[in-house]
Amino acid sequence: MTESKEKLQVETTVKDAQLIEFRRQQIINAAIVLFKEKGFHRATTREIAKVAGFSIGTLYEYVRTKEDVLYLLCDSIYHEVRQRLDSFPQHSGTVDELKEAIKQYFFVIDSMSDAFTIMYQESKSLSTEALHYVLNKELEMVALFEKLLKNCTELGILKLSEQELFLAANHIVIQGQSWAFRRWALHKHCTIDEFIAYQTNTLLNGILRKE
Amino acid sequence: MTESKEKLQVETTVKDAQLIEFRRQQIINAAIVLFKEKGFHRATTREIAKVAGFSIGTLYEYVRTKEDVLYLLCDSIYHEVRQRLDSFPQHSGTVDELKEAIKQYFFVIDSMSDAFTIMYQESKSLSTEALHYVLNKELEMVALFEKLLKNCTELGILKLSEQELFLAANHIVIQGQSWAFRRWALHKHCTIDEFIAYQTNTLLNGILRKE
Amino acid sequence: MTESKEKLQVETTVKDAQLIEFRRQQIINAAIVLFKEKGFHRATTREIAKVAGFSIGTLYEYVRTKEDVLYLLCDSIYHEVRQRLDSFPQHSGTVDELKEAIKQYFFVIDSMSDAFTIMYQESKSLSTEALHYVLNKELEMVALFEKLLKNCTELGILKLSEQELFLAANHIVIQGQSWAFRRWALHKHCTIDEFIAYQTNTLLNGILRKE
Amino acid sequence: MTESKEKLQVETTVKDAQLIEFRRQQIINAAIVLFKEKGFHRATTREIAKVAGFSIGTLYEYVRTKEDVLYLLCDSIYHEVRQRLDSFPQHSGTVDELKEAIKQYFFVIDSMSDAFTIMYQESKSLSTEALHYVLNKELEMVALFEKLLKNCTELGILKLSEQELFLAANHIVIQGQSWAFRRWALHKHCTIDEFIAYQTNTLLNGILRKE
DNA sequence: AATGAATGAGAGTTCATTCAT
DNA sequence: GATGAATGAACTCTCATTCAT
């Protein structure tokens, strides 16, 4: 899995790269808390700075606009997801590999569900350029699962058209994310493991044509 | 299907009920256009009034706050959905009935995808009370499909636990809505009919246990 | 004397034209006081609103930006100047007419010297477009005196090349304005009448070639 | 010509006098570029430091406040003017000497017109104390020409009252400076030599009373 | 002597809401 | 019932200045 587009640069007045990394992580953490609580528009930059632990002036040394904070947050999600998916042990058996990927993906979402929810609800507030970048990351996610599904078809385990490949991959991505943005409904009825089990079974059964 | 909660009342200074109905529909239509274009927070009440065709003063004769506009919009969605689902011809064959319900549901979403997307992204801006009301409507939707699925299990066509019943219903509702909020990705790959076909097949195949 | 360019429009949210006129005059008056005292940049829009007698919100109903206030001020100066010069009685004798025009011009400046000084020092803060508009008004002023001087040359009283015509007209305009922006030096040494007498004599003697 | 007031001291933490001189010249040069481009208020201290070639911290080793930069700039103008006027060869014939002084003065202005324009438009941003110092320098300039004119009256070439002496000197100073601050209008119509010729002739003709 | 990250008061602007007409 | 001018709290962002290194 490779990044398809250059990262959009968020301008800084600070020169020390390590410090930038560190402060931006503080900003992102603060933003997750606040955007979750009150949404992007109701959270103020002053609050973000305060929760991050520094002054409003300092915030703006690491970020040009409030929108940059949202972009940083969205970007960090995919960074995290990629790290996790890249690091899980690769199986030879491809259906198992697919299952494992789904599991890992759902786990990341579970562990970052606030961030995912924010991204879902607020990414529309990004500039066109940043939004395109983020949606593109999303498509990379879909493409990853398309690839894994395709591997299965090549082994003859599945028979899927290109369209079905896409729809199935899309299906996985959405259901995974729904674990985040529909917490309120789902958590009352099952655990993440049960959810993963149901989704994996339904999908694979649904896709496997045994006639 | 019955409405579980009393409709939340949006106060008015105007008496004429028909006029209220009429003006509110104008408000909702204007809001759909503007919230889609710029989101709830960036759209101003002045703009809403202007697009609706009257003055800001008049807007506030039919609505107490800006949030009321969002609430009215969300509420009208479920009103519309219910009307459509209630009116389609009921079959005796229950799997067919389920299929038909799915189809109708996806069709409503397709025809109101802007409104659905807005609801998805902006409902967090509602007050706790209004949000609960809306989420409750959402659960009624899920319950509707749970009921239809349950009918199938009772005929022995499906074997599903309570949990699976809920997850499957939830699955339908989410995939349907994804047709609205993931337009940008889905519309390039398939038509609404193809999407319905894929979702219906996958779900039913995935659920039917043939061992 | 005709206005060479369309007036630049300053946008408003208010519809009542008379009210706009009235409020803008209040804004200009407040701005003259404050810009004189602390300059354009140090005067705040809040102060302007306060001195004008209304709230900051109201200020922004009649003006889009702070720069608009400055533009309104500059524009009103030329409006005033034109009114005064257009209304003085026209002589037949052209040198007398020139003298009278100079006198009237210097009088207007004397009566609006704060506004003139502000324009001199702050017009650079206008947008390119607005600045061009204002400088153009300034050139119209020069052109007016060029015309009056030209009348004299046509009667054979003066012999001036095109360049000299321009320089002499320019000379009048600058010396007049210096009465405003060099108050601090000039007022200690002479009255406006003495200043006018000196400038008129020097200019006419300087220009008249008697060899 | 003697300096009438002690130079205002701009405090420093640095000891090395030569270095101070050197760095301040860098600061002034940077300030001329930036103040010309965006004015005193819009130019930031950071930018000044950057253009000057060092860090913001260093800037504040040589200057107490941003206003000091403006003061330094204004002060350097008179320093330059004095150097030039003091160094031109003194004639015995006093009208020629006056003419030569005018010429040299206009030449300095031409070569430093950015700095002069800045002084004209921004000196109001100086503190009262610094402003008085600068205006005083200005009056010294006027006094210089008063002196030269007086020499002529004493030789019987001119007959001028004290007031006329002042006004004529003032006239020269202003017209000279107008070559800087009215560049936009004048440069299209004549060269500096033509301008000097016109101003010198008009003034002398205007002043010489031969009846 | 030089650096540059940190600070926070303060500025311009917006916009939901009110209320007299 | 309809209008639209008035309001002011609240928000984002800037930038002169400081001080530890």
Side-chain angles (χ1 to χ4, degrees):
Chain A
M1 187 162 54
T2 52
E3 302 203 19
S4 57
K5 272 193 180 185
E6 255 342 278
K7 213 174 194 130
L8 295 183
Q9 282 307 318
V10 174
E11 271 170 51
T12 304
T13 61
V14 176
K15 298 180 177 180
D16 181 339
Q18 274 209 329
L19 191 54
I20 293 174
E21 174 93 350
F22 177 66
R23 289 271 186 255
R24 287 192 174 167
Q25 196 54 57
Q26 291 179 300
I27 293 171
I28 291 167
N29 294 340
I32 290 174
V33 172
L34 287 163
F35 293 172
K36 185 74 209 304
E37 190 186 323
K38 18 174 82 175
F40 176 72
H41 282 97
R42 284 215 243 275
T44 72
T45 50
R46 267 184 169 73
E47 287 173 311
I48 296 170
K50 194 171 182 185
V51 172
F54 35 72
S55 72
I56 181 69
T58 299
L59 177 72
Y60 278 93
E61 296 273 330
Y62 295 92
V63 127
R64 236 178 18 4
T65 63
K66 186 183 181 186
E67 196 212 297
D68 278 350
V69 175
L70 181 57
Y71 169 71
L72 246 29
L73 191 163
C74 291
D75 191 47
S76 80
I77 290 175
Y78 289 106
H79 188 72
E80 184 73 17
V81 172
R82 176 163 299 112
Q83 277 206 327
R84 295 247 207 142
L85 290 188
D86 281 355
S87 68
F88 82 87
Q90 310 282 325
H91 299 260
S92 48
T94 53
V95 170
D96 283 352
E97 195 182 348
L98 175 63
K99 284 183 177 175
E100 182 65 22
I102 292 175
K103 192 166 141 189
Q104 292 299 328
Y105 179 59
F106 280 43
F107 276 154
V108 203
I109 290 171
D110 184 51
S111 71
M112 305 178 66
S113 65
D114 283 351
F116 266 95
T117 306
I118 290 165
M119 191 183 65
Y120 247 74
Q121 294 178 334
E122 310 289 5
S123 60
K124 65 172 188 308
S125 292
L126 293 170
S127 68
T128 320
E129 193 192 21
L131 180 58
H132 280 7
Y133 176 82
V134 169
L135 294 182
N136 205 59
K137 292 282 188 183
E138 178 83 17
L139 288 179
E140 283 176 32
M141 217 77 262
V142 175
L144 169 75
F145 286 105
E146 275 185 286
K147 187 66 178 37
L148 293 172
L149 286 160
K150 190 157 203 172
N151 290 347
C152 298
T153 64
E154 279 161 7
L155 289 177
I157 304 169
L158 299 175
K159 281 182 202 147
L160 295 171
S161 68
E162 282 296 315
Q163 194 186 59
E164 287 167 324
L165 234 39
F166 171 77
L167 285 171
N170 199 62
H171 177 155
I172 295 167
V173 169
I174 290 171
Q175 291 294 339
Q177 292 177 354
S178 77
W179 179 254
F181 65 74
R182 282 177 78 93
R183 265 184 170 255
W184 57 276
L186 293 168
H187 289 211
K188 278 184 287 193
H189 289 81
C190 58
T191 64
I192 178 68
D193 292 309
E194 288 166 345
F195 188 67
I196 292 172
Y198 168 82
Q199 291 297 341
T200 312
N201 288 334
T202 315
L203 182 87
L204 291 182
N205 285 334
I207 278 171
L208 294 165
R209 302 270 171 78
K210 301 146 182 168
E211 70 287 30
Chain B
M1 187 162 55
T2 51
E3 299 204 20
S4 58
K5 273 194 182 183
E6 252 346 275
K7 210 173 197 136
L8 295 183
Q9 282 308 318
V10 175
E11 275 166 48
T12 307
T13 61
V14 179
K15 311 287 168 193
D16 182 341
Q18 273 211 326
L19 188 53
I20 294 174
E21 176 90 351
F22 177 66
R23 289 276 187 245
R24 287 194 173 166
Q25 197 55 55
Q26 290 180 300
I27 293 172
I28 291 167
N29 294 340
I32 290 174
V33 173
L34 287 165
F35 293 172
K36 185 76 210 303
E37 191 185 323
K38 18 175 81 177
F40 175 71
H41 283 95
R42 287 214 244 275
T44 71
T45 50
R46 269 169 152 100
E47 287 174 311
I48 296 170
K50 193 172 182 187
V51 171
F54 36 73
S55 74
I56 180 69
T58 301
L59 179 74
Y60 276 89
E61 298 277 333
Y62 296 92
V63 126
R64 233 173 357 82
T65 64
K66 186 183 180 186
E67 198 210 294
D68 278 352
V69 175
L70 181 58
Y71 170 71
L72 247 30
L73 190 162
C74 291
D75 191 47
S76 81
I77 290 174
Y78 289 106
H79 188 73
E80 183 74 17
V81 172
R82 174 163 301 112
Q83 278 206 326
R84 296 251 206 138
L85 291 188
D86 282 354
S87 67
F88 81 89
Q90 309 284 322
H91 300 260
S92 47
T94 52
V95 170
D96 282 351
E97 194 182 350
L98 177 62
K99 284 183 178 176
E100 183 65 20
I102 291 174
K103 193 166 142 187
Q104 292 301 328
Y105 179 58
F106 280 44
F107 277 154
V108 204
I109 289 170
D110 184 51
S111 72
M112 305 177 68
S113 65
D114 282 351
F116 266 94
T117 305
I118 290 165
M119 192 185 64
Y120 247 75
Q121 294 177 333
E122 310 289 5
S123 58
K124 66 173 187 307
S125 292
L126 293 170
S127 68
T128 320
E129 192 191 23
L131 180 58
H132 282 5
Y133 176 83
V134 170
L135 294 183
N136 206 59
K137 292 282 188 182
E138 178 83 17
L139 287 179
E140 283 176 30
M141 216 76 262
V142 176
L144 169 73
F145 286 105
E146 275 185 287
K147 186 68 175 39
L148 293 172
L149 285 160
K150 189 156 202 173
N151 291 348
C152 297
T153 65
E154 280 161 4
L155 290 178
I157 304 169
L158 297 175
K159 284 185 198 139
L160 294 173
S161 68
E162 281 296 316
Q163 194 185 57
E164 286 168 322
L165 233 40
F166 171 77
L167 286 171
N170 198 65
H171 178 157
I172 295 168
V173 169
I174 290 171
Q175 291 295 338
Q177 292 177 353
S178 79
W179 180 254
F181 66 75
R182 282 178 78 92
R183 264 182 171 258
W184 57 276
L186 293 168
H187 288 210
K188 279 183 286 195
H189 289 82
C190 58
T191 65
I192 178 69
D193 292 309
E194 289 166 345
F195 189 68
I196 291 172
Y198 168 83
Q199 291 297 341
T200 311
N201 287 334
T202 314
L203 183 87
L204 291 182
N205 284 333
I207 276 171
L208 293 165
R209 301 272 171 77
K210 298 144 184 171
E211 69 288 25
Chain C
M1 188 163 55
T2 53
E3 302 204 19
S4 58
K5 271 194 180 184
E6 255 341 281
K7 211 175 196 129
L8 295 182
Q9 281 306 320
V10 174
E11 274 170 49
T12 302
T13 59
V14 175
K15 299 179 176 181
D16 181 340
Q18 274 210 329
L19 190 53
I20 293 173
E21 175 94 352
F22 177 66
R23 290 270 186 254
R24 287 191 174 168
Q25 196 55 57
Q26 293 179 299
I27 292 171
I28 291 166
N29 294 339
I32 290 172
V33 172
L34 287 164
F35 292 172
K36 185 74 208 307
E37 189 185 324
K38 18 174 83 178
F40 176 71
H41 282 97
R42 285 215 243 274
T44 71
T45 51
R46 270 181 170 77
E47 287 172 312
I48 297 170
K50 193 170 181 184
V51 172
F54 35 71
S55 73
I56 182 66
T58 300
L59 177 71
Y60 278 92
E61 296 274 330
Y62 295 92
V63 125
R64 237 180 14 10
T65 63
K66 187 182 179 187
E67 198 211 295
D68 278 351
V69 175
L70 181 57
Y71 169 72
L72 246 31
L73 190 163
C74 292
D75 191 47
S76 79
I77 290 174
Y78 290 106
H79 187 73
E80 184 71 17
V81 172
R82 174 163 299 112
Q83 278 206 327
R84 295 250 205 138
L85 292 189
D86 281 355
S87 68
F88 81 90
Q90 310 283 325
H91 300 259
S92 47
T94 52
V95 170
D96 283 351
E97 195 182 349
L98 176 63
K99 283 184 178 174
E100 182 64 19
I102 292 175
K103 193 166 140 187
Q104 292 299 329
Y105 179 57
F106 280 44
F107 276 153
V108 204
I109 290 170
D110 184 51
S111 72
M112 304 177 68
S113 65
D114 284 349
F116 266 95
T117 305
I118 291 165
M119 192 184 65
Y120 246 74
Q121 295 177 333
E122 310 289 6
S123 60
K124 65 172 188 309
S125 293
L126 292 170
S127 69
T128 320
E129 193 192 20
L131 179 58
H132 281 6
Y133 175 82
V134 169
L135 293 183
N136 205 59
K137 291 284 189 180
E138 177 82 18
L139 288 179
E140 281 176 32
M141 219 74 263
V142 175
L144 169 74
F145 286 105
E146 275 185 286
K147 187 66 177 38
L148 293 172
L149 285 160
K150 191 157 203 171
N151 291 347
C152 298
T153 64
E154 279 161 7
L155 290 178
I157 304 169
L158 297 175
K159 283 185 199 141
L160 295 171
S161 68
E162 281 295 317
Q163 194 186 58
E164 287 168 323
L165 234 40
F166 171 77
L167 285 170
N170 199 64
H171 177 156
I172 295 167
V173 168
I174 290 171
Q175 291 295 338
Q177 291 177 354
S178 78
W179 178 254
F181 65 74
R182 283 177 76 93
R183 268 184 167 254
W184 56 276
L186 293 168
H187 289 212
K188 279 183 286 194
H189 289 81
C190 57
T191 65
I192 179 68
D193 292 309
E194 288 166 346
F195 188 69
I196 292 171
Y198 167 82
Q199 292 296 342
T200 312
N201 287 336
T202 315
L203 183 88
L204 291 183
N205 285 334
I207 277 170
L208 293 165
R209 301 274 167 77
K210 301 146 184 170
E211 68 287 29
Chain D
M1 186 165 55
T2 52
E3 301 203 18
S4 58
K5 271 196 182 182
E6 255 343 279
K7 209 174 195 132
L8 294 182
Q9 282 308 317
V10 174
E11 275 168 48
T12 308
T13 61
V14 178
K15 311 288 168 191
D16 182 341
Q18 274 211 326
L19 188 54
I20 293 174
E21 176 88 351
F22 177 67
R23 290 274 187 249
R24 287 193 174 165
Q25 197 55 55
Q26 291 179 301
I27 292 171
I28 291 166
N29 293 340
I32 290 173
V33 173
L34 287 165
F35 292 172
K36 185 78 212 303
E37 191 186 323
K38 18 175 82 174
F40 176 72
H41 282 96
R42 284 214 246 273
T44 70
T45 50
R46 269 170 152 98
E47 287 174 311
I48 296 170
K50 192 172 180 184
V51 172
F54 37 73
S55 74
I56 180 68
T58 300
L59 179 74
Y60 276 89
E61 298 279 331
Y62 296 92
V63 126
R64 235 175 353 84
T65 65
K66 187 183 180 186
E67 197 212 295
D68 278 352
V69 175
L70 181 57
Y71 169 71
L72 246 31
L73 190 162
C74 292
D75 190 46
S76 81
I77 291 175
Y78 289 107
H79 187 72
E80 183 75 15
V81 172
R82 174 162 304 110
Q83 277 205 327
R84 295 249 207 141
L85 291 190
D86 281 354
S87 70
F88 83 87
Q90 309 284 325
H91 301 259
S92 47
T94 53
V95 170
D96 283 351
E97 195 183 348
L98 175 63
K99 285 185 178 175
E100 182 65 21
I102 291 175
K103 192 165 142 188
Q104 291 302 327
Y105 179 59
F106 278 44
F107 276 153
V108 203
I109 289 170
D110 184 50
S111 71
M112 304 177 66
S113 65
D114 283 350
F116 266 95
T117 305
I118 291 165
M119 194 183 64
Y120 246 74
Q121 293 177 335
E122 310 289 4
S123 58
K124 66 172 187 308
S125 292
L126 293 171
S127 67
T128 321
E129 192 193 20
L131 180 58
H132 281 6
Y133 176 81
V134 169
L135 295 182
N136 206 59
K137 292 281 188 182
E138 179 83 16
L139 287 179
E140 282 176 32
M141 217 76 263
V142 176
L144 169 74
F145 286 105
E146 276 186 286
K147 186 68 177 35
L148 293 172
L149 285 159
K150 189 156 203 172
N151 290 348
C152 299
T153 64
E154 279 161 7
L155 289 179
I157 305 170
L158 299 174
K159 283 186 201 140
L160 295 171
S161 68
E162 280 297 316
Q163 193 186 59
E164 286 168 323
L165 233 40
F166 171 78
L167 286 170
N170 198 65
H171 178 156
I172 295 167
V173 169
I174 290 171
Q175 291 295 337
Q177 292 177 355
S178 79
W179 179 253
F181 66 73
R182 282 178 78 92
R183 268 184 168 256
W184 58 274
L186 293 168
H187 288 210
K188 279 184 285 195
H189 289 81
C190 59
T191 65
I192 178 68
D193 292 310
E194 289 168 345
F195 189 67
I196 291 171
Y198 167 82
Q199 291 298 342
T200 311
N201 288 334
T202 315
L203 182 87
L204 291 182
N205 284 335
I207 277 170
L208 294 165
R209 302 268 171 78
K210 300 145 186 172
E211 69 284 36

